[in-house]
């Protein structure tokens, strides 16, 4: 099996952004340099297994997701919730009330 290191870097960047982390944040959490994190995300460096595990811990994900793109249902739900939360931050009070009514309707209708 060949590992797609370009996809691995893209997954790291995507997950980092979902968590609103910068490359500096991940570098600090892993003890790696910002440049090295950038090089991994941009497919200029291949991380060791130890490095990959440090990154997984820093961005709260699994090696399966980073290496293979396989997410558990829990990870997928967490990503979706994070994305929704980020979009909610962009809404004013009027839109938030509308969203709340819509969510209540969806729950009540058992859709």
């Amino acid at each position: 099996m060949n590992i797609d290191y370009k996809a691995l870097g893209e997954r790291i960047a995507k997950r980092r952004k979902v968590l609103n982390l910068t490359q500096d944040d991940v570098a600090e959490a892993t003890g790696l340099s910002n440049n090295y994190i950038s090089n991994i995300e941009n497919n200029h460096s291949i991380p060791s297994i130890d490095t990959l595990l440090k990154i997984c811990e820093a961005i709260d994900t699994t090696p399966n997701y980073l290496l293979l793109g396989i997410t558990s249902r829990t990870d997928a739900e967490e990503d979706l919730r994070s994305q929704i939360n980020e979009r909610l931050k962009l809404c004013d009070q009027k839109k938030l009330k509308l969203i709340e009514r819509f969510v209540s309707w969806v729950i009540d209708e058992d859709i």
Side-chain angles (χ1 to χ4, degrees), residues 25-36:
D25 295 330
V26 175
E28 185 176 324
T30 59
L32 303 167
S33 74
N34 180 352
N35 286 341
Y36 189 49

Side-chain angles (χ1 to χ4, degrees), residues 20-86:
N20 291 318
L21 297 173
T22 65
Q23 288 178 342
D24 286 331
D25 295 330
V26 175
E28 185 176 324
T30 59
L32 303 167
S33 74
N34 180 352
N35 286 341
Y36 189 49
I37 299 298
S38 176
N39 284 340
I40 293 169
E41 287 185 4
N42 292 299
N43 194 27
H44 298 300
S45 295
I46 297 172
S48 68
I49 292 172
D50 288 339
T51 297
L52 185 66
L53 292 175
K54 288 178 185 179
I55 292 171
C56 285
E57 187 173 328
I59 61 174
D60 192 29
T61 194
T62 64
N64 279 350
Y65 171 68
L66 295 184
L67 293 169
L68 305 171
I70 298 170
T71 59
S72 68
R73 184 172 183 213
T74 303
D75 287 343
E77 287 176 6
E78 183 181 316
D79 284 347
L80 182 57
R81 289 177 194 278
S82 293
Q83 291 171 9
I84 291 169
N85 278 332
E86 287 308 306

